[in-house]
Amino acid sequence: MAGHDHIQALHQDPAYIKWNNMMVNRHKYFRWTPRTARITFIYVVAVPAVLGTLGYMTDGKWNMRGKRRGDLISEF
């Protein structure tokens, strides 16, 4: 219906096909380098540690529930 039987009706860009094949097979060509190890450490260890520390340090310091204009939000 409505022309769906023409699979390759449009010309495909060779650069896009090459990029798509690279994205699909990226796991085959991955290598651990100092740069990839550093980026992985930052996103797997450093960012969650910093966010967890900030969350732990500020836990319970502010209460937004039931406040009116002029009331303080700090609880310490």
Side-chain angles (χ1 to χ4, degrees):
M1 260 180 110
H4 289 291
D5 57 344
H6 302 291
I7 304 286
Q8 297 291 334
L10 296 175
H11 176 71
Q12 294 181 349
D13 186 10
Y16 177 72
I17 294 171
K18 183 178 178 183
W19 178 81
N20 189 32
N21 288 334
M22 180 199 63
M23 293 299 289
V24 169
N25 298 319
R26 181 178 294 233
H27 66 282
K28 295 178 184 177
Y29 304 107
F30 178 78
R31 294 187 189 272
W32 283 105
T33 62
R35 180 177 184 268
T36 58
R38 186 172 38 252
I39 291 171
T40 302
F41 176 80
I42 289 171
Y43 283 113
V44 172
V45 176
V47 171
V50 168
L51 291 177
T53 303
L54 288 174
Y56 183 76
M57 290 172 54
T58 60
D59 186 34
K61 287 192 175 184
W62 294 288
N63 186 5
M64 302 287 186
R65 184 175 288 180
K67 298 295 181 179
R68 295 186 177 147
R69 186 182 308 172
D71 291 344
L72 297 176
I73 62 170
S74 61
E75 296 289 331
F76 59 99

